[in-house]
Amino acid sequence: MFISKLSLRNFRNFRNVSLNFNKGVNTIIGENGSGKTNLFHAIRLLVDESMPRGVRLYESDFNRSLGKWTGHWIIIQIEFQELDSSEEAQSIAMHKIGAVDDFDTTQGTYSMFFRPRIEIRRNLFKLSQSDDKTVEELEKLLSGVSLNDYESVFAGRGNVDFSDEETYSQYVGNFTEITFPDPDDEQTDVYGIKMYGISIPNEFACTFAKALRDVESDLRSYRDNPLLNLLRDKEKNISIDKKHEIEEQVDILNKNISGLEEVKGVSKGITQTIKEAVGETYAPNVNIKSELPSEMEKILQSLKLWVGDPDEEGHEGRLWELSLGGANLIYLSLKLLEFEKIKKDNKIANFILIEEPEAHIHTHIQKTLFQKLDKERTQVFISTHSTHISSVCEISSMNILGRGKQRAHVFAPSSNLKADKIIKLERYLDANRTNLLFAKGVILVEGDAEHILIPEIIKKVLGVSLDELGISLINIGSTGFENVAQLFHKDRIHRNCSVLTDNDLSIVKLPKDPKDDNQYERDCRNSQISGVDRKEKLELFCKDNNFVKPFYAKYTFEVDFLLEGNSYEIIQTVEKAFKKQQDKDRIKGLLENKDVSISGKEVLRLAEKFKKGWFAIMVSEKVSNITAIPEYILDATVFACPTLNESILLAIAKYRLTKLKDYHYIGDTTDYKSLLDKIILIEDVAEALEFFIEELPHDVLSKLISKLNA
């Protein structure tokens, strides 16, 4: 038995989402604040017996995008597969799958409804039946509803997914059209059957290991300490004779400590001082006694962990002397052992939820832990924002949470992909490339030069890094754009993906007849043919997919970078790389030539001479705030990050003016200091950006804003 689906409606930052799960290990990845903790809490409300059954939710538990929450329902629904024949499992089974008497007893649901009590629902239904119903009447009715008018109901065998908009409108209500169902029409095949006599969470073995940020506190806690939970279980196995013997020894030790003359002396001194202060009549008798616990359970509670790092053999100390990573690993190990303790053969399902195991744990431990988890009889859920963990998990068992405006989005990266493509993607996504799963936008490149130089250009010219913009730039090498870009699709990850590649048009004029080509022309012609073929395939691949868009250099990255007006950066690189002045002068003359067949050929020769990646590193050292960003790269950046907010744009504007004040083109007489002083005084962000555009219409930021607004 395993959880195959989780549906959430109006719960915290989840407005209406469904997540599909597989047997074994399931991974939920997402940035901070995307809802990983909320999702785990939702699962635990239904399957963790340590959670209170009298669930009481609050206004803050309703999704904020609802606006007015009154009247709405919070619904958490779990779907199970492979139910066995036990009475407990069958209490949530028997879905109708066809004819009236046609049931699937291996599939079932368990749901929690936090909803208005039946009197309120009856009033809503009565209003919806009125011919002259109005929004004002609905608002008046709902204005008198409070949390005290809500109830928590657990039900099994429900047969619809309430995360679906039409289903919610039909069976909960449509607040816009003021239509509500009759609450006295039970429709048990829809809402399910209320659970009486069976507590489903008691039939599960479930352990939750929360995010490992305050391990020492938890290991000192009486309630949350997993070590104490393990010891409590062992205490009942100690023989009666052994218990009595130990308890008697503790009693003797208490008497010996209390009988020490030093202890008695302090006791007498306290008594004498009190009598002198208040007199014999009112002075209480004071005695000091040792109270080491003599009950076996309390004795076991006094046991503490002594630990040592593996590279300091023979040394042991208290827990807080151990590295934080080591302490976290011990905590997690205790939680796993605690789970093994409660996992019984008579439980109908076993679950373990591990929240962000990467916190303070070394990279190799993260990967090892993930791969060694027991997945045979246990379904595991791990939430993470670690690329190291995500790199070793299967995307077929992965859900991605993304932050949206007042609600989270859920993406399944393997949805509607064939098995062979999924396997190839899983092999490709190593720790470096899984960044694309966490990004707000992605730019794919196929060479080291772009991978090295583009982030540096963006940082120096705009003053913000690609990371700050939420963009992952991924070098796909020889993998092929289509193999990676297929992740970004309406069925999978809803993130914009820019594909940066070369048109590879010939930089020299080619003869009409290919037979007349010399060797260089033949190479140029072959590259151009490959470029045309690549473009055709990319355009076909991106057709009807709004999440992927290709952007092309007219020639190649190095040539287009040069032609954009960046000969200075390359010439400065040459000045540093070559020793002979005559070589420097010759190369400079070639690079500044207006004929692309000359300047383009020279920059490609330099890239080949130093190797493209190393040449990009050399050039990146000369990039500055007045380096020109090639148009197609700017377009790709805008597409990958279409939601640049005004505060970021204003920060870029101030950065540009600050830098231009001290370093600008020769002959540029613009008073950048004055512009900076003026824009700082403009309080309204939109007005400040308008001022910047008016004063510097040809600046790269003005172009960027224009593209964003296009």
Short mmCIF file of all heavy atoms in Angstrom, two decimals, residues 450-492:
data_model
loop_
_atom_site.label_atom_id
_atom_site.label_comp_id
_atom_site.label_asym_id
_atom_site.label_seq_id
_atom_site.Cartn_x
_atom_site.Cartn_y
_atom_site.Cartn_z
N GLU A 450 30.34 30.69 -23.91
CA GLU A 450 29.11 31.33 -23.46
C GLU A 450 28.90 31.11 -21.96
O GLU A 450 28.48 32.02 -21.24
CB GLU A 450 27.90 30.76 -24.22
CG GLU A 450 27.91 31.07 -25.72
CD GLU A 450 28.53 29.98 -26.56
OE1 GLU A 450 29.47 29.31 -26.06
OE2 GLU A 450 28.10 29.79 -27.70
N HIS A 451 29.19 29.91 -21.51
CA HIS A 451 28.99 29.56 -20.11
C HIS A 451 29.86 30.42 -19.19
O HIS A 451 29.45 30.77 -18.07
CB HIS A 451 29.33 28.08 -19.91
CG HIS A 451 28.91 27.53 -18.59
ND1 HIS A 451 29.70 26.72 -17.81
CD2 HIS A 451 27.76 27.70 -17.88
CE1 HIS A 451 29.07 26.40 -16.71
NE2 HIS A 451 27.90 26.98 -16.72
N ILE A 452 31.02 30.77 -19.64
CA ILE A 452 31.95 31.55 -18.83
C ILE A 452 31.69 33.06 -18.97
O ILE A 452 31.65 33.79 -17.97
CB ILE A 452 33.41 31.24 -19.23
CG1 ILE A 452 33.76 29.79 -18.84
CG2 ILE A 452 34.39 32.22 -18.59
CD1 ILE A 452 35.03 29.28 -19.49
N LEU A 453 31.50 33.52 -20.19
CA LEU A 453 31.51 34.96 -20.46
C LEU A 453 30.15 35.63 -20.23
O LEU A 453 30.11 36.77 -19.73
CB LEU A 453 31.98 35.21 -21.90
CG LEU A 453 32.48 36.61 -22.26
CD1 LEU A 453 33.46 37.15 -21.24
CD2 LEU A 453 33.10 36.59 -23.65
N ILE A 454 29.06 34.98 -20.55
CA ILE A 454 27.75 35.62 -20.42
C ILE A 454 27.44 36.04 -18.98
O ILE A 454 27.01 37.18 -18.74
CB ILE A 454 26.64 34.72 -21.00
CG1 ILE A 454 26.75 34.66 -22.52
CG2 ILE A 454 25.25 35.23 -20.59
CD1 ILE A 454 25.77 33.72 -23.19
N PRO A 455 27.64 35.16 -17.97
CA PRO A 455 27.36 35.60 -16.59
C PRO A 455 28.20 36.82 -16.19
O PRO A 455 27.71 37.70 -15.47
CB PRO A 455 27.72 34.38 -15.74
CG PRO A 455 27.58 33.22 -16.67
CD PRO A 455 28.01 33.73 -18.00
N GLU A 456 29.44 36.87 -16.67
CA GLU A 456 30.32 37.98 -16.32
C GLU A 456 29.85 39.28 -17.00
O GLU A 456 29.88 40.36 -16.39
CB GLU A 456 31.76 37.66 -16.74
CG GLU A 456 32.80 38.61 -16.18
CD GLU A 456 32.94 38.52 -14.67
OE1 GLU A 456 32.48 37.53 -14.07
OE2 GLU A 456 33.50 39.47 -14.09
N ILE A 457 29.40 39.17 -18.24
CA ILE A 457 28.89 40.35 -18.94
C ILE A 457 27.66 40.91 -18.23
O ILE A 457 27.55 42.11 -17.97
CB ILE A 457 28.53 40.00 -20.41
CG1 ILE A 457 29.78 39.59 -21.19
CG2 ILE A 457 27.86 41.19 -21.10
CD1 ILE A 457 29.46 39.04 -22.57
N ILE A 458 26.71 40.03 -17.88
CA ILE A 458 25.48 40.47 -17.20
C ILE A 458 25.82 41.13 -15.87
O ILE A 458 25.28 42.20 -15.54
CB ILE A 458 24.53 39.27 -16.96
CG1 ILE A 458 24.09 38.64 -18.30
CG2 ILE A 458 23.33 39.68 -16.13
CD1 ILE A 458 23.25 39.54 -19.17
N LYS A 459 26.73 40.54 -15.12
CA LYS A 459 27.10 41.08 -13.81
C LYS A 459 27.77 42.44 -13.93
O LYS A 459 27.44 43.38 -13.19
CB LYS A 459 28.04 40.08 -13.10
CG LYS A 459 28.53 40.55 -11.73
CD LYS A 459 27.41 40.58 -10.72
CE LYS A 459 27.94 40.93 -9.34
NZ LYS A 459 26.86 41.05 -8.34
N LYS A 460 28.72 42.57 -14.85
CA LYS A 460 29.45 43.83 -14.98
C LYS A 460 28.61 44.94 -15.60
O LYS A 460 28.73 46.10 -15.24
CB LYS A 460 30.72 43.60 -15.82
CG LYS A 460 31.77 42.73 -15.16
CD LYS A 460 32.48 43.48 -14.04
CE LYS A 460 33.56 42.62 -13.38
NZ LYS A 460 34.64 42.27 -14.30
N VAL A 461 27.76 44.59 -16.55
CA VAL A 461 26.98 45.60 -17.27
C VAL A 461 25.74 46.02 -16.49
O VAL A 461 25.42 47.21 -16.40
CB VAL A 461 26.58 45.09 -18.67
CG1 VAL A 461 25.66 46.09 -19.36
CG2 VAL A 461 27.82 44.84 -19.51
N LEU A 462 25.02 45.06 -15.89
CA LEU A 462 23.76 45.36 -15.21
C LEU A 462 23.89 45.45 -13.69
O LEU A 462 22.99 45.95 -13.02
CB LEU A 462 22.70 44.31 -15.57
CG LEU A 462 22.37 44.18 -17.06
CD1 LEU A 462 21.32 43.09 -17.27
CD2 LEU A 462 21.88 45.50 -17.64
N GLY A 463 24.99 44.92 -13.16
CA GLY A 463 25.18 45.00 -11.71
C GLY A 463 24.44 43.95 -10.92
O GLY A 463 24.42 43.98 -9.69
N VAL A 464 23.80 43.01 -11.60
CA VAL A 464 23.13 41.89 -10.93
C VAL A 464 23.59 40.59 -11.58
O VAL A 464 23.85 40.55 -12.79
CB VAL A 464 21.59 41.98 -11.02
CG1 VAL A 464 21.06 43.13 -10.20
CG2 VAL A 464 21.13 42.10 -12.46
N SER A 465 23.71 39.56 -10.79
CA SER A 465 24.13 38.27 -11.34
C SER A 465 22.92 37.51 -11.87
O SER A 465 21.77 37.82 -11.53
CB SER A 465 24.82 37.44 -10.26
OG SER A 465 23.90 37.06 -9.25
N LEU A 466 23.18 36.52 -12.70
CA LEU A 466 22.10 35.66 -13.17
C LEU A 466 21.42 34.96 -11.99
O LEU A 466 20.21 34.74 -12.00
CB LEU A 466 22.64 34.63 -14.17
CG LEU A 466 23.06 35.18 -15.54
CD1 LEU A 466 23.65 34.06 -16.39
CD2 LEU A 466 21.88 35.80 -16.27
N ASP A 467 22.21 34.62 -10.96
CA ASP A 467 21.63 34.00 -9.77
C ASP A 467 20.64 34.94 -9.10
O ASP A 467 19.58 34.51 -8.63
CB ASP A 467 22.74 33.62 -8.78
CG ASP A 467 23.53 32.41 -9.23
OD1 ASP A 467 22.96 31.58 -9.96
OD2 ASP A 467 24.70 32.30 -8.88
N GLU A 468 20.98 36.22 -9.01
CA GLU A 468 20.07 37.19 -8.40
C GLU A 468 18.78 37.31 -9.20
O GLU A 468 17.72 37.57 -8.64
CB GLU A 468 20.74 38.56 -8.31
CG GLU A 468 21.86 38.63 -7.28
CD GLU A 468 22.57 39.98 -7.32
OE1 GLU A 468 22.01 40.95 -6.79
OE2 GLU A 468 23.66 40.05 -7.91
N LEU A 469 18.88 37.14 -10.50
CA LEU A 469 17.69 37.19 -11.35
C LEU A 469 16.92 35.88 -11.35
O LEU A 469 15.85 35.78 -11.93
CB LEU A 469 18.10 37.54 -12.79
CG LEU A 469 18.74 38.91 -13.00
CD1 LEU A 469 19.18 39.07 -14.45
CD2 LEU A 469 17.81 40.03 -12.60
N GLY A 470 17.48 34.85 -10.70
CA GLY A 470 16.83 33.55 -10.65
C GLY A 470 17.01 32.74 -11.92
O GLY A 470 16.24 31.82 -12.19
N ILE A 471 18.05 33.08 -12.69
CA ILE A 471 18.28 32.39 -13.96
C ILE A 471 19.43 31.40 -13.82
O ILE A 471 20.51 31.75 -13.32
CB ILE A 471 18.61 33.40 -15.09
CG1 ILE A 471 17.43 34.34 -15.33
CG2 ILE A 471 18.98 32.67 -16.38
CD1 ILE A 471 17.73 35.44 -16.33
N SER A 472 19.22 30.18 -14.25
CA SER A 472 20.29 29.19 -14.34
C SER A 472 20.78 29.13 -15.78
O SER A 472 19.98 28.91 -16.69
CB SER A 472 19.81 27.80 -13.90
OG SER A 472 19.68 27.72 -12.51
N LEU A 473 22.07 29.34 -15.96
CA LEU A 473 22.67 29.19 -17.29
C LEU A 473 23.37 27.85 -17.33
O LEU A 473 24.28 27.58 -16.55
CB LEU A 473 23.66 30.33 -17.56
CG LEU A 473 24.19 30.40 -18.99
CD1 LEU A 473 24.33 31.85 -19.44
CD2 LEU A 473 25.55 29.72 -19.11
N ILE A 474 22.91 26.98 -18.21
CA ILE A 474 23.36 25.59 -18.25
C ILE A 474 24.10 25.32 -19.56
O ILE A 474 23.58 25.58 -20.65
CB ILE A 474 22.17 24.61 -18.15
CG1 ILE A 474 21.31 24.94 -16.92
CG2 ILE A 474 22.67 23.17 -18.10
CD1 ILE A 474 22.00 24.77 -15.59
N ASN A 475 25.31 24.80 -19.43
CA ASN A 475 26.10 24.39 -20.60
C ASN A 475 25.76 22.94 -20.90
O ASN A 475 26.13 22.03 -20.17
CB ASN A 475 27.59 24.55 -20.30
CG ASN A 475 28.46 24.19 -21.49
OD1 ASN A 475 27.97 23.88 -22.57
ND2 ASN A 475 29.77 24.23 -21.29
N ILE A 476 25.04 22.72 -21.98
CA ILE A 476 24.59 21.36 -22.29
C ILE A 476 25.65 20.55 -23.03
O ILE A 476 25.50 19.35 -23.23
CB ILE A 476 23.30 21.38 -23.14
CG1 ILE A 476 23.56 22.05 -24.48
CG2 ILE A 476 22.17 22.05 -22.40
CD1 ILE A 476 22.69 21.54 -25.57
N GLY A 477 26.74 21.21 -23.47
CA GLY A 477 27.79 20.50 -24.19
C GLY A 477 27.25 19.85 -25.44
O GLY A 477 26.59 20.48 -26.26
N SER A 478 27.49 18.56 -25.56
CA SER A 478 27.05 17.84 -26.77
C SER A 478 25.75 17.08 -26.55
O SER A 478 25.38 16.23 -27.34
CB SER A 478 28.15 16.85 -27.20
OG SER A 478 28.42 15.94 -26.14
N THR A 479 25.05 17.40 -25.46
CA THR A 479 23.83 16.66 -25.14
C THR A 479 22.71 16.91 -26.13
O THR A 479 21.91 16.03 -26.42
CB THR A 479 23.35 17.04 -23.72
OG1 THR A 479 24.41 16.79 -22.80
CG2 THR A 479 22.13 16.24 -23.31
N GLY A 480 22.64 18.11 -26.65
CA GLY A 480 21.54 18.46 -27.56
C GLY A 480 20.48 19.23 -26.82
O GLY A 480 20.01 18.80 -25.76
N PHE A 481 20.12 20.41 -27.36
CA PHE A 481 19.17 21.27 -26.68
C PHE A 481 17.84 20.58 -26.41
O PHE A 481 17.26 20.71 -25.34
CB PHE A 481 18.92 22.53 -27.53
CG PHE A 481 20.08 23.47 -27.57
CD1 PHE A 481 20.71 23.77 -28.77
CD2 PHE A 481 20.55 24.08 -26.42
CE1 PHE A 481 21.77 24.65 -28.82
CE2 PHE A 481 21.62 24.96 -26.46
CZ PHE A 481 22.24 25.25 -27.67
N GLU A 482 17.33 19.86 -27.40
CA GLU A 482 16.01 19.27 -27.28
C GLU A 482 15.90 18.33 -26.09
O GLU A 482 14.86 18.26 -25.43
CB GLU A 482 15.62 18.53 -28.57
CG GLU A 482 15.48 19.42 -29.79
CD GLU A 482 16.80 19.61 -30.54
OE1 GLU A 482 17.86 19.30 -29.94
OE2 GLU A 482 16.77 20.05 -31.70
N ASN A 483 16.97 17.58 -25.81
CA ASN A 483 16.95 16.60 -24.73
C ASN A 483 16.72 17.25 -23.37
O ASN A 483 16.10 16.65 -22.48
CB ASN A 483 18.25 15.80 -24.71
CG ASN A 483 18.42 14.94 -25.94
OD1 ASN A 483 17.44 14.39 -26.46
ND2 ASN A 483 19.64 14.82 -26.44
N VAL A 484 17.21 18.47 -23.18
CA VAL A 484 17.05 19.17 -21.91
C VAL A 484 15.84 20.08 -21.93
O VAL A 484 15.06 20.14 -20.97
CB VAL A 484 18.33 19.98 -21.57
CG1 VAL A 484 18.17 20.69 -20.23
CG2 VAL A 484 19.55 19.06 -21.55
N ALA A 485 15.65 20.78 -23.05
CA ALA A 485 14.56 21.76 -23.13
C ALA A 485 13.18 21.10 -23.04
O ALA A 485 12.20 21.78 -22.72
CB ALA A 485 14.67 22.54 -24.44
N GLN A 486 13.09 19.80 -23.28
CA GLN A 486 11.79 19.13 -23.21
C GLN A 486 11.21 19.15 -21.79
O GLN A 486 10.01 18.93 -21.60
CB GLN A 486 11.92 17.68 -23.69
CG GLN A 486 12.80 16.81 -22.83
CD GLN A 486 12.98 15.41 -23.41
OE1 GLN A 486 12.10 14.90 -24.06
NE2 GLN A 486 14.13 14.81 -23.17
N LEU A 487 12.04 19.45 -20.80
CA LEU A 487 11.54 19.58 -19.43
C LEU A 487 10.57 20.74 -19.28
O LEU A 487 9.69 20.73 -18.42
CB LEU A 487 12.71 19.78 -18.45
CG LEU A 487 13.54 18.55 -18.08
CD1 LEU A 487 14.80 18.97 -17.36
CD2 LEU A 487 12.72 17.60 -17.21
N PHE A 488 10.74 21.75 -20.15
CA PHE A 488 9.95 22.97 -20.01
C PHE A 488 8.79 22.93 -21.01
O PHE A 488 8.98 23.10 -22.22
CB PHE A 488 10.85 24.19 -20.21
CG PHE A 488 12.02 24.17 -19.27
CD1 PHE A 488 13.24 23.65 -19.67
CD2 PHE A 488 11.88 24.62 -17.97
CE1 PHE A 488 14.31 23.60 -18.79
CE2 PHE A 488 12.93 24.56 -17.08
CZ PHE A 488 14.15 24.04 -17.49
N HIS A 489 7.62 22.69 -20.47
CA HIS A 489 6.46 22.38 -21.31
C HIS A 489 5.21 22.56 -20.45
O HIS A 489 5.28 22.47 -19.22
CB HIS A 489 6.59 20.93 -21.82
CG HIS A 489 5.58 20.53 -22.84
ND1 HIS A 489 4.36 20.03 -22.50
CD2 HIS A 489 5.63 20.54 -24.19
CE1 HIS A 489 3.67 19.73 -23.60
NE2 HIS A 489 4.42 20.04 -24.64
N LYS A 490 4.07 22.78 -21.09
CA LYS A 490 2.83 22.96 -20.33
C LYS A 490 2.49 21.72 -19.50
O LYS A 490 1.78 21.83 -18.48
CB LYS A 490 1.68 23.30 -21.26
CG LYS A 490 1.33 22.23 -22.28
CD LYS A 490 0.19 22.68 -23.19
CE LYS A 490 -0.15 21.64 -24.26
NZ LYS A 490 -0.62 20.38 -23.70
N ASP A 491 2.98 20.54 -19.90
CA ASP A 491 2.72 19.31 -19.14
C ASP A 491 3.73 19.11 -18.02
O ASP A 491 3.52 18.25 -17.16
CB ASP A 491 2.77 18.09 -20.07
CG ASP A 491 1.64 18.08 -21.08
OD1 ASP A 491 0.61 18.74 -20.81
OD2 ASP A 491 1.79 17.43 -22.13
N ARG A 492 4.82 19.87 -18.05
CA ARG A 492 5.90 19.61 -17.10
C ARG A 492 6.25 20.88 -16.32
O ARG A 492 5.42 21.36 -15.55
CB ARG A 492 7.10 19.03 -17.86
CG ARG A 492 6.79 17.61 -18.38
CD ARG A 492 7.93 17.02 -19.18
NE ARG A 492 7.96 17.53 -20.55
CZ ARG A 492 7.17 17.09 -21.53
NH1 ARG A 492 6.25 16.17 -21.30
NH2 ARG A 492 7.29 17.58 -22.76
#
